[in-house]
Amino acid sequence: MERLHWVQHRCRQLLAGDSGRGWYSASDGLPNKSFLDCHSSPQRCGGKRRMVLACHGPHQQEYQAISKDYKSNAIHTTKYSLLTFIPMNLFQQFYRAANLYFLFLALLNWVPVVEAFQKEITMIPLLVVLTVIAIKDALEDYRRYLFDKKVNNNVVQVYCGKQKAYIEQCWKDVRVGDFVRLSCNEIIPADMLLLYSSDPHGVCYIETANLDGETNLKQRQVVSDLPLQGVEVTPESFHSRIECENPNNDLSRFRGYMEHSSGVRVGLHNSNLLLRSCTIRNTETVVGIVVYAGHETKAMMNNSGPRYKRSQLEKRLNADVLWCVLLLIVMCLTAAIGHGLWMKQLKHPIFLVDGETSPALAGFYVFWTMIIVLQVLIPISLYVSIEIVKLGQIYFIHNDLALYNEQLDSRIQCRALNITEDLGQIQYLFSDKTGTLTENKMVFRRCNIYGIEYPHEENARRLEVYEAEKNEAAGHSVTLKSGCSGKSLSCRSLSCNRSSVSLHTLTAESEEEEDRLSNHIQPMTSAFCSRMAKEVVPDPELVRKLNWLCSPLLPMSGISSETPSSLELTYITDFFLALAICNSVVVSSPSQPRHVVPEARTPLKSLEEIKLIFQRFSFSPFSALSTLSPHQIRGSPRSFTSRLFARGKIGSFSTSPNSTAEGSEAGQHNLETSNPRCKPDVSARVEEGDTEKVVDDLKSSQTDPDVEDITRDVDTESYTDDELLYEAESPDEAALVYAARAYCCTLRARSVESLLVDLPGIGSLAVQLLHILPFDSTRKRMSVVVRHPLTGEVVVYTKGADSVIMDLAEAPKGAEQAQEIYSHIREQTQKHLDSYAREGLRTLCIAKKVMEEEEYELWLKRQLLAESSIENREELLLESAQRLETNLTLLGSTGIVDRLQEEVPETIEALQRADIKVWVLTGDKQETAINIAYACKLLRPNDQLLTANCGSKDACAAILEELKLEVQHAENGVTEQTAAGNREDSSSGCVSGFVLVIDGRTLDWALQEELKTDFLELSCRCKAVICCRSTPLQKSQVVRLIRDQLNVMTLAVGDGANDVSMIQVADVGIGISGQEGMQAVMSSDFAISRFKHLSKLLLVHGHWCYSRLANMILYFFYKNVMYVNLLFWYQFFCGFSGSVMTNSWVLIFFNLFFTSVPPLIYGVLDRDTPADTLMQLPELYQATQTSKVYVTFMFWITVLDAFYQSLVCFFMPYFAYAGSDIGELSFGFPINTSALLIILLHQVIESHTLTWIHALVLVLSGGFYFGFVLLFSVCCVTCSPPTNPVGVETLQMSQPLFYIVCVLTTVTALLPRLLFRALHGSLHTSAVRKAAQVDKVESEKYCRRMRRWNVSHSRANRLPVNADNPSLETSTGLVVS
């Protein structure tokens, strides 16, 4: 039938002409214009198609012709080879402007007229930098090479044409067109089209954790209409051609067709494609043909490499380097002009001077000579030092135990290595709600059915008990039940020899990262079947009503005004049936990987009898509301159940009068169901608190052999509820399935075409599954189409967001009383939904629709056309789903609790105290978001809530203007209070008093060009903003608006795929490895496991990283400018000739070796404030932002300080040795020594932390300097021509004047810095000083607490000690006192 509809559809397209013909419709056709318009990106789709043939099939010659252009399956993520390493690495390094600059200087020094030093010496700094970076790159590339080798040498079974069998080959030898056979737990080596599955329904399950981090199973389907369907395919029997789109990076899309030898074409879609790096699960054997291999696979094409962002500090650094270049040019121009004037005025030189060169030309030569001499002013080593310091900072962040999650065995990941300092400058934080602020561990809390609310108070108390247990167990790893500890990966009658190794084909990650991700899979899966989610305590009132269905023949005395009507029982049964089957949950158990519906185990005889009973009484409890008569609506439960169950045995009904009479006699006894866990009289057990076991104390007086056989069959095939594992795509689905199971509506098995469900009072039934319409963000709902097992009607069950379902639910046509009842149900449901939202519960609505056969047939035709269509398939499927999901009957709603993560309120409070504005961007209802905002202290009771909800652009403009006026009026009032002296009431300011709440529709208008200014102005005046019902696109638009318009540092944090866009747009993106896979983590700069880690990451590590790097960069500029100025001052005494007063080796090594290591230690280990103090006083983070350690003002202050110190360092030795006969090298040695001491001690003054490591590095730096110059002066005779350095330093160090000069110069140069620090600390009471005071107070408290502890423990230990040693009593008492 499906093929017929497809052929009709293709004929219409062909008859319509070329305009309607798709690009798959003819082998020589061109791509359809609409397709190219939608996918114009060259990476997403090429201009041609790909033809795939079986490599050992009947099309050998054609295969050889087309396959030569296809890539092999070997992957190469390395950048270099042995031959290309040196040229390619040098090319990449000289891509940096700084390296090119120093290469230019090295080459310039080879020009004789401007030569300043020996030619080899000027090459040393550049060679050292290039060598260090080359070694680092080589080690990284070698790691990639080992990883590639490991992946390429994995083995897989590939069909061999010569041996006519599957043989083991390495992954790298797999080619496009190869037939590959995989077993359970094997990793897919290439993108393959699924041709065969051992599953009888042609289904294969894969796990995509290695691709996107999601551990829930994805279902893939064998290509439909294969000629040899159900038989393992081999190349000899495969005569089809495959034509598909060119390789692209779209993981969710695959388009093409398979043309059989008969000429019939079958469309190919993403559900037929097995992606590389995914893992086969719960399937014994699959066979596929490779369509994309190696770097053409979708996984490899999504490998964008490591993330790179430029930090704000780096941008400022580049600007200051330009200032240094300008300063260098000014100094060189000064020297050039001075040398020209000096040459012009020189009449009778007493030394050799080139008199033939004109003064102007000589000045031009000196300009370039001075460029070489003063080259140190441009900090070439600064860039390398910054990279080393950031690696050190990341190491300490990565190994911080406070950022380690013991329960998940995961620690923080630093994926972007160059923006650590930006963590200390965040001004706006944008957070998702679900999974970020909350646990994303959904637990069923309460529900509403038929307009009646069931509070599940026992369930609420159970959650409180679990919360208390969780708090008691804080800090300890959680041991989950073995039944839920992970997926069942075993396959019966199957030996899975190959372990499921996590092979990261996206990036060449380290072994440590592989272990982390593989270890992370288990807790993620366990979260969906946690103890809290599984053990739902039923509501006693709801159980009492269900007992009317399970045990209908109760005494007449039980009937009262509170007894449920037959319509209400219908709603209740349909509600829980919808919870059980409206999902994509895979059922498994420890002993069986996947439960499928047994074909011959369904009690068909019983179902036929049930249907006959229904027809005889003309009553359908599962029909639409409009079909019920007033009499049926008013019917009592007794009449309903007596008609539903004609005999005392469930499942053995008879339509004869005799059997009916027998049933009435058997009615004196209660019923026995085929479900061993769903027994009558459940409510009594619940009220007594016994919810684990329900005992059937009502036995039937008659037995039926047929029913016993059926019951035995079902029981042998079923498992107890505790053994069932539900593998859900989301925690919402798992929570609802467990809730249905708590009411004995248990999902036991699933196959492609049917579901096995236990219904209360009926037993196990096979429900025919006709269609699944999966959830998508456009529809915001999911539906299943089934054929009801009791009525045979086609029923649509839908669950989704309340805002959507309530609009789709319409009042039935028919009896007036039915309409009144339905209106009442709708009104009460909406009331309860609002109540749930105010409690912070996640709400879902459940609805159904009964379709007539004609209506269903009409929809089915359009649905089959949409499914078989190649062009516009997604649009057609969406249209078909929307056509089906109309005129729904509202059944009820659910409230699912998603508790806050631990310490979220404290974290948000700390961030707000740090002057970080926190915005929440969520897709939840407004009431839910507001409730969560109150719970996490984003909203406080004294805050004023501003709500913006409107449906048009004009209304949006009006409401924004109104809210602005309201805020402005409040600001004026606060200003008047402040002027009057009432500062206590206005201390927090008006900004901290307003919180804006805006919904998605209004946000759409507010983000438009005409209104975004008003929205921006209003939001800036608010303490926080909550965006509800926002889409992923809106989230990214909001972040971009704030980042660009306000020019502030933004941070976005989220845990799901819908947060990826805003994470990538923000300056710093943080992903939380939660329950929704790893998409957010893979797109982030930093990955954490809990929201509370943000406080330590920002307030401590962010503060430290920014402070350390900023101070280190300023220190680098200081020491370079200070030392270069010494050479510049000397030019005034040597005719600006470019001469230097020290040997060139010391000059080059001074910044390269002697003073390079201390700044690295300073940048990695310095702590201006202890971590505990930063956590206790978040205001210190704000102080760092306002003071801005590294700004233009501080740069010029540092440069001026360097100028002053250089003047002192040069002229004090100059005046000390004035009139003496020392040489230039003897004059330069005390200057160099004083400069070294000043630079090293300057860092000691600026350091906030001094450890033995600092002391050791300072001593080694000074010792290295003196050791080098002494060795140089003793051994080197001709190392620095034309001067002779032998004995210069040894002679100087033997004279007392040398030491006096060095000490006086050092003290004089550093005295202003010391006085400034002392006065600043005394007069300016900074937040840091307050922090130090707090730290001192805390230390005193700690000491007092320890003294009390010692006293108490000494008293406690006194008796046992004195009992054995009486002589110790006096001494012990003395110690205690």
Side-chain angles (χ1 to χ4, degrees):
M1 187 70 182
E2 182 178 353
R3 183 183 301 178
L4 177 60
H5 286 299
W6 184 87
V7 172
Q8 291 176 348
H9 176 66
R10 298 303 303 162
C11 291
R12 292 194 196 100
Q13 286 187 329
L14 293 174
L15 292 175
D18 294 339
S19 60
R21 190 178 64 183
W23 67 280
Y24 288 116
S25 57
S27 59
D28 56 348
L30 295 176
N32 188 292
K33 185 178 186 302
S34 62
F35 173 79
L36 295 177
D37 290 341
C38 297
H39 303 274
S40 57
S41 172
Q43 188 179 8
R44 282 192 170 271
C45 181
K48 296 189 301 181
R49 296 162 292 175
R50 161 168 293 205
M51 176 73 71
V52 178
L53 302 172
C55 61
H56 300 294
H59 310 286
Q60 287 287 331
Q61 295 182 352
E62 190 175 358
Y63 171 80
Q64 296 295 335
I66 64 175
S67 64
K68 59 183 180 181
D69 297 328
Y70 299 156
K71 293 185 178 181
S72 68
N73 200 44
I75 62 168
H76 304 282
T77 59
T78 57
K79 294 182 180 179
Y80 317 106
S81 65
L82 290 177
L83 296 178
T84 62
F85 175 74
I86 293 179
M88 287 188 64
N89 188 261
L90 289 177
F91 175 78
Q92 291 182 353
Q93 291 203 54
F94 284 121
Y95 197 75
R96 290 184 175 182
N99 291 343
L100 283 176
Y101 165 74
F102 279 92
L103 177 63
F104 167 73
L105 293 183
L107 297 177
L108 187 64
N109 194 59
W110 286 69
V111 180
V113 292
V114 296
E115 180 182 357
F117 312 120
Q118 290 176 261
K119 297 178 177 61
E120 299 82 5
I121 294 178
T122 54
M123 300 291 292
I124 292 177
L126 182 62
L127 289 176
V128 169
V129 172
L130 294 179
T131 303
V132 170
I133 296 179
I135 292 174
K136 177 181 74 71
D137 292 343
L139 291 176
E140 290 180 354
D141 209 54
Y142 182 68
R143 182 175 65 89
R144 295 191 194 98
Y145 165 76
L146 294 179
F147 176 80
D148 293 346
K149 184 178 179 181
K150 175 184 176 182
V151 172
N152 290 330
N153 289 330
N154 282 307
V155 295
V156 68
Q157 289 189 341
V158 181
Y159 190 84
C160 178
K162 296 181 179 179
Q163 302 183 19
K164 305 296 183 183
Y166 286 93
I167 63 173
E168 289 192 345
Q169 289 186 8
C170 293
W171 279 23
K172 62 183 177 181
D173 299 325
V174 175
R175 299 169 297 168
V176 174
D178 275 340
F179 274 64
V180 177
R181 182 164 62 185
L182 298 170
S183 301
C184 178
N185 295 346
E186 280 196 275
I187 298 178
I188 303 169
D191 290 353
M192 309 186 332
L193 200 63
L194 183 59
L195 302 180
Y196 167 78
S197 172
S198 57
D199 185 274
H201 301 283
V203 175
C204 167
Y205 289 91
I206 62 173
E207 183 184 88
T208 60
N210 295 341
L211 195 61
D212 56 15
E214 294 186 1
T215 56
N216 54 284
L217 300 185
K218 310 291 193 308
Q219 182 174 298
R220 294 294 181 263
Q221 185 75 38
V222 171
V223 177
S224 60
D225 292 338
L226 281 177
L228 298 175
Q229 201 163 13
V231 181
E232 186 167 332
V233 184
T234 59
E236 287 80 3
S237 62
F238 186 78
H239 302 281
S240 304
R241 298 169 178 265
I242 300 170
E243 192 163 343
C244 58
E245 59 190 357
N246 267 353
N248 58 75
N249 62 353
D250 194 343
L251 293 173
S252 61
R253 185 168 186 166
F254 176 69
R255 296 169 49 158
Y257 67 82
M258 179 183 293
E259 183 178 355
H260 301 312
S261 56
S262 61
V264 177
R265 292 181 177 179
V266 179
L268 305 177
H269 309 291
N270 193 55
S271 60
N272 307 128
L273 191 66
L274 304 180
L275 296 179
R276 177 190 174 106
S277 80
C278 297
T279 308
I280 303 295
R281 298 294 193 204
N282 295 356
T283 310
E284 186 174 351
T285 305
V286 299
V287 175
I289 183 172
V290 177
V291 292
Y292 306 126
H295 288 274
E296 291 182 337
T297 58
K298 292 180 180 291
M300 294 303 298
M301 295 193 75
N302 274 275
N303 181 9
S304 57
R307 296 175 56 79
Y308 181 82
K309 287 184 178 180
R310 290 181 60 193
S311 66
Q312 296 293 329
L313 205 65
E314 185 179 347
K315 297 175 184 177
R316 166 57 56 189
L317 169 63
N318 293 337
D320 289 339
V321 168
L322 294 179
W323 283 114
C324 288
V325 172
L326 180 62
L327 185 61
L328 175 65
I329 293 174
V330 170
M331 297 172 94
C332 294
L333 282 174
T334 303
I337 295 172
H339 184 70
L341 294 176
W342 182 78
M343 287 287 293
K344 187 175 183 180
Q345 296 174 2
L346 188 62
K347 301 299 182 183
H348 304 288
I350 59 176
F351 41 81
L352 183 61
V353 175
D354 186 7
E356 298 180 358
T357 306
S358 64
L361 184 59
F364 176 76
Y365 290 157
V366 166
F367 175 83
W368 295 108
T369 302
M370 291 301 296
I371 290 285
I372 300 174
V373 171
L374 305 180
Q375 62 177 294
V376 184
L377 187 60
I378 308 300
I380 183 176
S381 59
L382 177 57
Y383 292 96
V384 181
S385 300
I386 288 176
E387 289 186 5
I388 296 174
V389 166
K390 287 184 178 181
L391 288 176
Q393 292 176 348
I394 288 173
Y395 172 80
F396 285 108
I397 294 175
H398 190 63
N399 290 278
D400 189 349
L401 286 177
L403 303 179
Y404 171 72
N405 189 327
E406 186 177 0
Q407 180 178 350
L408 298 179
D409 190 24
S410 65
R411 49 185 170 180
I412 186 173
Q413 303 175 50
C414 301
R415 301 174 60 84
L417 306 181
N418 52 337
I419 58 170
T420 53
E421 64 274 20
D422 281 349
L423 292 172
Q425 294 295 296
I426 300 301
Q427 295 165 277
Y428 277 78
L429 187 147
F430 302 90
S431 173
D432 179 38
K433 185 189 76 66
T434 304
T436 304
L437 300 178
T438 61
E439 293 277 2
N440 200 15
K441 294 181 179 179
M442 310 302 179
V443 181
F444 183 82
R445 173 62 183 83
R446 57 203 309 172
C447 66
N448 161 278
I449 310 173
Y450 191 67
I452 300 175
E453 207 268 334
Y454 300 97
H456 290 72
E457 294 176 358
E458 289 291 336
N459 203 36
R461 285 191 283 270
R462 174 186 67 95
L463 297 180
E464 294 175 0
V465 171
Y466 284 141
E467 191 70 20
E469 292 177 356
K470 179 181 177 183
N471 294 334
E472 291 176 2
H476 302 282
S477 60
V478 176
T479 303
L480 300 172
K481 291 184 178 181
S482 59
C484 297
S485 59
K487 285 187 173 64
S488 173
L489 303 181
S490 62
C491 295
R492 289 191 297 180
S493 67
L494 177 70
S495 61
C496 299
N497 297 324
R498 300 183 181 90
S499 62
S500 177
V501 183
S502 178
L503 299 178
H504 294 269
T505 56
L506 295 184
T507 54
E509 298 185 16
S510 63
E511 293 291 336
E512 185 182 64
E513 291 172 332
E514 293 178 21
D515 295 340
R516 178 203 59 74
L517 186 56
S518 61
N519 291 336
H520 183 68
I521 292 174
Q522 178 173 332
M524 288 174 58
T525 306
S526 303
F528 291 178
C529 56
S530 64
R531 179 186 170 196
M532 289 180 63
K534 291 178 64 177
E535 298 180 1
V536 178
V537 180
D539 186 85
E541 178 64 19
L542 189 53
V543 172
R544 185 186 66 82
K545 294 179 179 180
L546 277 174
N547 275 337
W548 284 93
L549 185 63
C550 296
S551 181
L553 303 179
L554 293 178
M556 291 294 294
S557 59
I559 301 177
S560 66
S561 60
E562 297 182 357
T563 56
S565 67
S566 57
L567 180 61
E568 183 179 352
L569 285 177
T570 301
Y571 268 66
I572 293 174
T573 309
D574 270 331
F575 180 85
F576 286 111
L577 182 61
L579 294 189
I581 68 175
C582 189
N583 52 63
S584 57
V585 170
V586 177
V587 187
S588 61
S589 64
S591 60
Q592 185 176 354
R594 181 166 55 89
H595 289 192
V596 296
V597 181
E599 295 181 1
R601 301 301 184 186
T602 305
L604 297 177
K605 177 182 177 183
S606 302
L607 295 185
E608 293 296 330
E609 291 177 346
I610 292 174
K611 292 163 69 174
L612 289 174
I613 293 296
F614 275 48
Q615 295 171 4
R616 186 181 64 177
F617 289 108
S618 302
F619 180 76
S620 177
F622 302 97
S623 60
L625 182 64
S626 58
T627 62
L628 296 176
S629 65
H631 173 73
Q632 291 169 335
I633 294 175
R634 292 192 298 267
S636 67
R638 180 179 179 85
S639 62
F640 167 66
T641 51
S642 63
R643 282 176 288 167
L644 179 60
F645 303 101
R647 292 181 59 184
K649 273 305 221 177
I650 304 301
S652 58
F653 299 108
S654 175
T655 58
S656 64
N658 295 332
S659 63
T660 307
E662 293 174 1
S664 61
E665 294 175 1
Q668 303 300 323
H669 304 277
N670 285 320
L671 301 175
E672 177 184 356
T673 67
S674 62
N675 185 353
R677 288 186 56 88
C678 295
K679 305 297 182 183
D681 198 19
V682 182
S683 59
R685 302 304 183 205
V686 174
E687 292 170 358
E688 294 173 4
D690 184 8
T691 59
E692 293 295 327
K693 296 182 179 179
V694 182
V695 181
D696 182 10
D697 54 2
L698 303 174
K699 301 295 183 179
S700 174
S701 61
Q702 299 182 10
T703 58
D704 191 329
D706 295 337
V707 176
E708 290 179 353
D709 293 340
I710 295 170
T711 305
R712 189 184 308 112
D713 291 338
V714 173
D715 289 342
T716 55
E717 290 294 328
S718 62
Y719 296 84
T720 64
D721 289 355
D722 291 336
E723 291 178 338
L724 291 177
L725 294 180
Y726 293 137
E727 298 172 359
E729 291 188 2
S730 69
D732 301 74
E733 283 193 345
L736 295 180
V737 174
Y738 284 121
R741 193 183 72 172
Y743 289 96
C744 302
C745 189
T746 306
L747 176 64
R748 293 215 168 260
R750 171 185 292 274
S751 65
V752 179
E753 299 176 352
S754 59
L755 303 165
L756 186 63
V757 183
D758 284 353
L759 292 180
I762 299 176
S764 296
L765 298 177
V767 181
Q768 185 180 357
L769 183 61
L770 302 177
H771 293 280
I772 295 181
L773 306 181
F775 176 88
D776 62 67
S777 57
T778 303
R779 292 166 40 244
K780 296 183 180 180
R781 57 189 178 272
M782 174 189 182
S783 297
V784 293
V785 185
V786 300
R787 187 169 295 279
H788 205 283
L790 303 181
T791 65
E793 294 174 322
V794 176
V795 184
V796 181
Y797 289 105
T798 303
K799 69 175 181 181
D802 56 304
S803 59
V804 177
I805 300 298
M806 296 298 284
D807 293 338
L808 296 175
E810 297 182 1
K813 299 177 182 179
E816 181 178 352
Q817 186 177 0
Q819 294 185 8
E820 292 178 0
I821 293 177
Y822 187 80
S823 299
H824 176 74
I825 293 173
R826 182 186 177 93
E827 179 183 347
Q828 291 299 313
T829 302
Q830 185 62 57
K831 177 182 176 181
H832 296 139
L833 283 171
D834 297 338
S835 173
Y836 294 169
R838 284 191 294 270
E839 294 182 18
L841 303 181
R842 291 171 60 88
T843 57
L844 282 176
C845 282
I846 312 298
K848 63 169 282 190
K849 175 183 179 180
V850 178
M851 302 182 68
E852 299 293 338
E853 289 295 335
E854 296 78 8
E855 181 185 2
Y856 172 68
E857 288 295 332
L858 179 62
W859 176 84
L860 179 61
K861 293 178 182 178
R862 296 177 178 177
Q863 177 70 10
L864 292 178
L865 284 176
E867 291 178 352
S868 60
S869 176
I870 296 177
E871 294 90 8
N872 304 322
R873 181 174 186 265
E874 292 79 9
E875 293 79 1
L876 292 175
L877 287 175
L878 176 61
E879 180 184 351
S880 177
Q882 291 175 340
R883 187 182 299 110
L884 177 71
E885 297 162 333
T886 57
N887 300 325
L888 301 178
T889 300
L890 182 64
L891 297 176
S893 61
T894 61
I896 299 175
V897 62
D898 185 10
R899 289 181 172 267
L900 281 179
Q901 295 182 18
E902 67 275 13
E903 299 182 27
V904 167
E906 294 80 0
T907 301
I908 290 183
E909 183 181 12
L911 294 176
Q912 288 182 330
R913 288 174 58 190
D915 200 28
I916 298 176
K917 287 195 173 183
V918 180
W919 289 28
V920 175
L921 313 178
T922 177
D924 281 342
K925 286 190 66 175
Q926 181 171 300
E927 294 82 0
T928 304
I930 292 174
N931 181 275
I932 293 296
Y934 274 115
C936 66
K937 294 185 179 180
L938 183 65
L939 259 173
R940 295 184 177 274
N942 58 343
D943 289 334
Q944 186 172 348
L945 204 61
L946 305 177
T947 305
N949 297 329
C950 58
S952 66
K953 187 175 181 180
D954 294 337
C956 180
I959 196 170
L960 289 178
E961 190 65 30
E962 179 184 349
L963 293 177
K964 281 169 54 181
L965 292 176
E966 183 179 348
V967 174
Q968 186 176 0
H969 177 73
E971 286 178 347
N972 295 335
V974 171
T975 304
E976 293 174 0
Q977 290 179 358
T978 306
N982 187 13
R983 298 183 179 273
E984 293 184 1
D985 296 337
S986 60
S987 59
S988 60
C990 66
V991 176
S992 62
F994 290 96
V995 175
L996 175 64
V997 180
I998 184 169
D999 67 345
R1001 184 181 302 178
T1002 309
L1003 188 60
D1004 262 338
W1005 300 116
L1007 292 175
Q1008 292 191 4
E1009 193 67 30
E1010 299 84 354
L1011 299 179
K1012 69 179 182 181
T1013 304
D1014 294 336
F1015 171 67
L1016 204 62
E1017 183 180 349
L1018 175 62
S1019 60
C1020 288
R1021 294 182 177 183
C1022 293
K1023 162 189 167 182
V1025 177
I1026 302 173
C1027 300
C1028 313
R1029 298 294 192 191
S1030 52
T1031 63
L1033 179 60
Q1034 287 177 332
K1035 291 182 180 182
S1036 62
Q1037 288 174 340
V1038 169
V1039 175
R1040 183 179 288 108
L1041 175 68
I1042 298 299
R1043 184 198 65 188
D1044 296 341
Q1045 298 296 324
L1046 300 182
N1047 194 24
V1048 294
M1049 288 291 295
T1050 58
L1051 181 147
V1053 55
D1055 72 316
N1058 59 333
D1059 305 316
V1060 168
S1061 55
M1062 76 168 180
I1063 286 175
Q1064 293 178 334
V1065 167
D1067 295 296
V1068 179
I1070 294 185
I1072 292 184
S1073 51
Q1075 306 295 323
E1076 296 187 19
M1078 299 286 286
Q1079 297 96 324
V1081 169
M1082 291 178 175
S1083 305
S1084 64
D1085 305 309
F1086 300 89
I1088 57 179
S1089 58
R1090 312 297 285 174
F1091 184 82
K1092 68 177 182 179
H1093 294 161
L1094 275 180
S1095 57
K1096 182 70 178 290
L1097 182 62
L1098 298 183
L1099 303 182
V1100 177
H1101 290 291
H1103 176 93
W1104 282 349
C1105 289
Y1106 176 79
S1107 177
R1108 290 165 175 171
L1109 271 177
N1111 287 314
M1112 190 199 76
I1113 291 173
L1114 290 174
Y1115 179 76
F1116 252 94
F1117 282 122
Y1118 150 78
K1119 74 183 185 70
N1120 285 13
V1121 173
M1122 188 267 185
Y1123 190 73
V1124 162
N1125 274 304
L1126 298 177
L1127 307 178
F1128 180 70
W1129 303 136
Y1130 183 70
Q1131 302 306 309
F1132 287 89
F1133 301 92
C1134 67
F1136 299 98
S1137 60
S1139 301
V1140 293
M1141 67 288 188
T1142 183
N1143 70 73
S1144 53
W1145 289 94
V1146 174
L1147 177 65
I1148 295 297
F1149 284 2
F1150 193 87
N1151 277 295
L1152 195 62
F1153 295 121
F1154 302 151
T1155 60
S1156 60
V1157 179
L1160 301 182
I1161 303 300
Y1162 177 50
V1164 174
L1165 297 180
D1166 190 56
R1167 296 192 305 172
D1168 59 342
T1169 313
D1172 294 339
T1173 306
L1174 289 172
M1175 293 293 289
Q1176 293 173 8
L1177 292 177
E1179 292 81 6
L1180 296 178
Y1181 188 89
Q1182 177 184 358
T1184 305
Q1185 283 187 333
T1186 54
S1187 63
K1188 293 287 186 182
V1189 179
Y1190 183 38
V1191 291
T1192 305
F1193 172 77
M1194 290 301 301
F1195 170 76
W1196 290 111
I1197 290 294
T1198 302
V1199 170
L1200 291 176
D1201 190 26
F1203 266 89
Y1204 163 76
Q1205 292 188 12
S1206 66
L1207 286 170
V1208 172
C1209 187
F1210 180 84
F1211 284 101
M1212 286 197 70
Y1214 173 79
F1215 290 116
Y1217 289 101
S1220 65
D1221 58 350
I1222 64 171
E1224 60 176 3
L1225 295 182
S1226 299
F1227 171 63
F1229 181 58
I1231 294 178
N1232 275 332
T1233 304
S1234 299
L1236 179 73
L1237 295 175
I1238 292 170
I1239 289 173
L1240 294 180
L1241 292 177
H1242 180 95
Q1243 181 178 326
V1244 173
I1245 295 173
E1246 292 299 308
S1247 296
H1248 303 89
T1249 304
L1250 291 176
T1251 63
W1252 65 269
I1253 301 178
H1254 291 81
L1256 179 63
V1257 169
L1258 292 173
V1259 170
L1260 289 178
S1261 296
F1264 183 36
Y1265 167 76
F1266 285 106
F1268 177 81
V1269 296
L1270 289 176
L1271 185 64
F1272 192 86
S1273 65
V1274 170
C1275 303
C1276 199
V1277 179
T1278 59
C1279 295
S1280 183
T1283 58
N1284 186 0
V1286 174
V1288 173
E1289 284 80 6
T1290 54
L1291 179 62
Q1292 284 288 312
M1293 293 184 67
S1294 63
Q1295 300 174 356
L1297 181 60
F1298 166 78
Y1299 298 100
I1300 295 174
V1301 169
C1302 290
V1303 172
L1304 290 178
T1305 302
T1306 304
V1307 172
T1308 306
L1310 295 176
L1311 192 59
R1313 172 71 60 171
L1314 283 171
L1315 290 176
F1316 172 77
R1317 288 297 177 193
L1319 292 175
H1320 185 269
S1322 300
L1323 302 178
H1324 181 65
T1325 308
S1326 63
V1328 176
R1329 190 172 176 205
K1330 294 178 182 177
Q1333 185 68 24
V1334 171
D1335 197 45
K1336 181 179 178 181
V1337 172
E1338 291 296 326
S1339 299
E1340 293 175 354
K1341 290 181 180 178
Y1342 175 77
C1343 292
R1344 289 196 297 268
R1345 190 166 64 252
M1346 287 303 298
R1347 282 196 295 268
R1348 289 195 300 268
W1349 185 88
N1350 289 330
V1351 170
S1352 62
H1353 276 255
S1354 61
R1355 289 174 179 172
N1357 294 333
R1358 184 185 304 173
L1359 289 177
V1361 172
N1362 294 335
D1364 295 332
N1365 302 286
S1367 61
L1368 296 179
E1369 183 175 358
T1370 305
S1371 61
T1372 306
L1374 293 175
V1375 172
V1376 172
S1377 61

